[in-house]
Amino acid sequence: MKKTKLLLMALIVAFTSSLVSCDNDIIWDISPIEIFFTVSDVEGQDLLNPDTPNSIDYREVIAEWRGETYVGDTVSLFTQHPLTRALIGHMHGLVYVTEHGRSKLYFGELTGHDTYIDEPLTLHWPDGSSDVITIRASVVEGYRSVKLNRRFKLNGKVVARDTSYPEINIVK
């Protein structure tokens, strides 16, 4: 009887301590960073739309990120990397998309958990010019919440902050 009581007490202590430790083992899923670019002229015309005079051919736009180059495409690299988890970042490359009647270039996904300290993403345009998007991102995980610190600069000027899905307009 004494052994049964001791065993029962040991199980209760083990079970209770495991419940307490569950609160401390929170795992946060952080949304990946996805960057959208619109390109317009000074009059606001959509330069990625092939129907616009003097438009830019997205297939001639090159993005440089962390030593890799990505050429504008309409097919995401996602088709080559099947999704295995809801919020894990998968690099899709530089993709031409049309959203709400507007032509855009999409770049991503960058892993949301990673820290980026003024990491440059350089877009090279067919006319030989380039634009640099500087990414600063970090995550502070607390006991009951997560704070995302996000800032995006276009050629040194802050154009978006506190979002994982910035839309940056580039004027050419």
Side-chain angles (χ1 to χ4, degrees), residues 29-32 34 76-92 106 108-111 165:
D29 269 340
I30 309 299
S31 296
E34 302 175 39
S76 165
L77 295 179
F78 176 72
T79 56
Q80 299 170 15
H81 303 283
L83 186 62
T84 58
R85 187 170 162 194
L87 295 177
I88 195 164
H90 289 279
M91 180 52 73
H92 301 283
Y106 161 88
E109 300 171 331
L110 309 180
T111 304
Y165 312 101

Side-chain angles (χ1 to χ4, degrees), residues 51-68:
D51 296 333
T52 302
N54 301 316
S55 65
I56 296 171
D57 186 348
Y58 66 86
R59 295 170 292 200
E60 295 180 18
V61 179
I62 298 171
E64 279 186 69
W65 171 255
R66 290 187 160 183
E68 297 287 328

Side-chain angles (χ1 to χ4, degrees), residues 21-52:
S21 70
C22 285
D23 280 346
N24 297 328
D25 294 336
I26 296 173
I27 297 173
W28 299 99
D29 269 340
I30 309 299
S31 296
I33 297 172
E34 302 175 39
I35 305 170
F36 290 88
F37 301 99
T38 55
V39 183
S40 60
D41 60 15
V42 290
E43 286 91 32
Q45 294 183 20
D46 182 355
L47 291 180
L48 290 174
N49 183 338
D51 296 333
T52 302

